[in-house]
C-alpha cells in the first residue's frame, strides 16, 4: 500500500464500545433509585474496501485499470432506503453538469436520519472530508491514457496522467444511457453485492509492451496508492524438467534462440521473459524441409559451426535439455508480433 493513508481489510476490528442504560424515576427519586443495566459490548468491524484490478480491453493493445471501493460502512450509495449518512462516502459528489454523480453531501454538516435531525460532529470528517477521487499515473514503460470513466477528469497533454477521476455507482449507472463502461465487482465484495463505486482509465500500448501504473485514491482517510504492472504482451510459462522437455514455442516468431532463453527485459521480442540460459545445455528443433535436426548449445556460441538452430518459429516444437537436478520455470512473452 502506497501514499501513507489508512486502510483496513473488510472484517478488521477497528474499535469497541460499551453501552449501558440507566432507568430513572424523576418524580420519585427519593423513593426509587436509578437502576443501571448490564453492559453490552459492541465490536466495530470495517465494512469497506479499496482495490485496483486490470481488465481486458477490446483488443490486445488496450487495458482498463479499474479502482473499486466501498466505504467503511459497506456502502457506495445508500441502498437501505433509510437515508443513511455516508460521512466517509467513496462516491464522488455531484457535478452541476452531471446527473450520474449523485451527491451525498460529504462536505456538509446537516443530516437527517429517519425522524432525527442535527449536525454531524466536526471530528467525523477528517481532513475536511474531501470528495473521493482517483489520480492515475503511468510511471514507467510505454503507453498512453486514452480515456477515463469521468468525462470531466483531466488527462494531461502527454497522456501520462489522469487526475480527479470521480467515482460512480455501478447500481445507479446504466451503460446504455451514460456510455460509461462498468466492470465486475471486486473479489473483495460481499456475496450477493449489487453496488460498488468504480473509477477507471483506459490505456493503450500499440507495441504490446509492459507498463506500470500508479492509482492514488484521495479521501479523508489519507491518500491510498496501488501499484500495478500492466503486461500487454501476455506471458506463457513452461516447466522444464531434467533432462529433456518438449515445448511448443508460443513466443515471437523468428526470435533468436539467444534472446529467447536470456529474456530481453522490457524491450525486444521477449519482454518480461526470464533468463534461463545458465540452466540450458542444448535445444533441438526438427527442420522438416531438410529432414534433419538442428541444434543450439549455449556453450558453443563462439564455436564456428556448432549451432545451426538460429531461431525459434512460433508453433514449432523443440526439445530442451537443462542441467538439473531441479526443474526450471521459463516465462516468455506470448503476444508479440
Amino acid at each position: 500500500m502506497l501514499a501513507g493513508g489508512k486502510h483496513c481489510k473488510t472484517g478488521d476490528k477497528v474499535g469497541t464500545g460499551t453501552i449501558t442504560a440507566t432507568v430513572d424515576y424523576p418524580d420519585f427519586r427519593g423513593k426509587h433509585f436509578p437502576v443501571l443495566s448490564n453492559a453490552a459490548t459492541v465490536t466495530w468491524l470495517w465494512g469497506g474496501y479499496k482495490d485496483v484490478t486490470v481488465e481486458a480491453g477490446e483488443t490486445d493493445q488496450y487495458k482498463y485499470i479499474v479502482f473499486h471501493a466501498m466505504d467503511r460502512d459497506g456502502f457506495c450509495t445508500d441502498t437501505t432506503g433509510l437515508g443513511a449518512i455516508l460521512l466517509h462516502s467513496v462516491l464522488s459528489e455531484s457535478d452541476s453538469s452531471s446527473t450520474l454523480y449523485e451527491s451525498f453531501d460529504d462536505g456538509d454538516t446537516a443530516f437527517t436520519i429517519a425522524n432525527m435531525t442535527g449536525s454531524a460532529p466536526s471530528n467525523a470528517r477528517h481532513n475536511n472530508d474531501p470528495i473521493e477521487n482517483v489520480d492515475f499515473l503511468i510511471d514507467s514503460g510505454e503507453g498512453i491514457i486514452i480515456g477515463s470513466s469521468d468525462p470531466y477528469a483531466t488527462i494531461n497533454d502527454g497522456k501520462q496522467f489522469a487526475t480527479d477521476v470521480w467515482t460512480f455507482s455501478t447500481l445507479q449507472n446504466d451503460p446504455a444511457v451514460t456510455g460509461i463502461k462498468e466492470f465486475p465487482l471486486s473479489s473483495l465484495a460481499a456475496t450477493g453485492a449489487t453496488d460498488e463505486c468504480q473509477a477507471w482509465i483506459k490505456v493503450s500500448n500499440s507495441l504490446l509492451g509492459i507498463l506500470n501504473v500508479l492509482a492514488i485514491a484521495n479521501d479523508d482517510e489519507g491518500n491510498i496508492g496501488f501499484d500495478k504492472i500492466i503486461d500487454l504482451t501476455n506471458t506463457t510459462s513452461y516447466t522444464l524438467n531434467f533432462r529433456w522437455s518438449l515445448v511448443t514455442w508460443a513466443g515471437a516468431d523468428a526470435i533468436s534462440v539467444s534472446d529467447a532463453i536470456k529474456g530481453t527485459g522490457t524491450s525486444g521480442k521477449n519482454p518480461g521473459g526470464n533468463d534461463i540460459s545458465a540452466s540450458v545445455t542444448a535445444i533441438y528443433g526438427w527442420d522438416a524441409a531438410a529432414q534433419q535436426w538442428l541444434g543450439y548449445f549455449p556453450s558453443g556460441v563462439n564455436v564456428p559451426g556448432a549451432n545451426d538452430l538460429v531461431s525459434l518459429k512460433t508453433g514449432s516444437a523443440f526439445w530442451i535439455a537443462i542441467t538439473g537436478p531441479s526443474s526450471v520455470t521459463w516465462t516468455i512473452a506470448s503476444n508479440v508480433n
Side-chain angles (χ1 to χ4, degrees):
M1 197 65 61
L2 305 174
K6 307 300 182 184
H7 186 60
C8 297
K9 296 179 181 178
T10 304
D12 280 356
K13 179 180 177 181
V14 293
T16 58
T18 302
I19 301 175
T20 60
T22 301
V23 180
D24 194 4
Y25 300 88
D27 297 333
F28 302 95
R29 283 179 176 166
K31 181 177 180 180
H32 300 289
F33 295 98
V35 178
L36 180 66
S37 72
N38 62 303
T41 300
V42 178
T43 299
W44 301 98
L45 303 180
W46 194 268
Y49 59 79
K50 288 183 172 67
D51 187 24
V52 172
T53 62
V54 179
E55 306 290 344
E58 293 77 11
T59 64
D60 290 336
Q61 82 175 72
Y62 303 116
K63 295 287 186 183
Y64 290 89
I65 294 79
V66 184
F67 171 74
H68 310 254
M70 294 288 267
D71 71 23
R72 61 180 65 180
D73 297 314
F75 297 105
C76 172
T77 59
D78 171 26
T79 57
T80 67
L82 300 176
I85 297 305
L86 308 184
L87 289 174
H88 304 274
S89 175
V90 290
L91 181 64
S92 302
E93 287 185 318
S94 63
D95 184 280
S96 59
S97 56
S98 169
T99 58
L100 175 64
Y101 298 88
E102 297 288 344
S103 173
F104 279 83
D105 296 329
D106 265 348
D108 296 339
T109 58
F111 68 90
T112 301
I113 304 179
N115 295 322
M116 298 188 302
T117 60
S119 297
S122 60
N123 61 0
R125 298 188 316 284
H126 183 58
N127 290 338
N128 294 319
D129 200 10
I131 62 174
E132 184 86 23
N133 63 78
V134 188
D135 297 334
F136 296 90
L137 160 67
I138 297 177
D139 77 330
S140 64
E142 297 181 349
I144 59 173
I145 299 172
I146 62 173
S148 79
S149 56
D150 180 1
Y152 308 104
T154 300
I155 299 176
N156 78 318
D157 291 341
K159 299 188 182 301
Q160 300 295 295
F161 305 87
T163 56
D164 295 330
V165 181
W166 284 10
T167 61
F168 65 92
S169 163
T170 58
L171 183 65
Q172 293 180 336
N173 181 47
D174 182 352
V177 175
T178 65
I180 296 177
K181 189 179 182 69
E182 59 186 52
F183 295 87
L185 305 189
S186 166
S187 60
L188 302 177
T191 302
T194 58
D195 191 18
E196 180 183 76
C197 286
Q198 293 185 359
W200 52 257
I201 60 167
K202 182 179 182 180
V203 298
S204 172
N205 184 321
S206 58
L207 296 179
L208 301 180
I210 297 175
L211 61 149
N212 193 78
V213 174
L214 296 180
I216 308 296
N218 308 292
D219 66 13
D220 64 324
E221 294 149 11
N223 295 345
I224 298 173
F226 300 84
D227 190 350
K228 287 292 182 180
I229 294 176
I230 317 302
D231 184 359
L232 289 90
T233 65
N234 295 334
T235 58
T236 296
S237 293
Y238 303 105
T239 299
L240 307 179
N241 298 309
F242 179 74
R243 162 82 57 181
W244 292 94
S245 297
L246 180 64
V247 304
T248 299
W249 177 248
D253 191 35
I255 187 174
S256 71
V257 181
S258 177
D259 282 348
I261 64 174
K262 288 184 177 180
T264 51
T266 59
S267 60
K269 289 190 174 183
N270 191 17
N274 63 322
D275 187 350
I276 62 165
S277 58
S279 300
V280 175
T281 57
I283 301 178
Y284 282 99
W286 177 250
D287 185 342
Q291 290 292 291
Q292 66 180 14
W293 288 97
L294 305 178
Y296 177 89
F297 308 93
S299 61
V301 169
N302 296 319
V303 179
N307 294 328
D308 50 10
L309 177 64
V310 296
S311 64
L312 304 182
K313 182 179 179 180
T314 303
S316 296
F318 299 91
W319 284 101
I320 302 178
I322 62 172
T323 56
S326 301
S327 62
V328 172
T329 298
W330 184 21
T331 300
I332 67 168
S334 57
N335 190 22
V336 180
N337 54 41

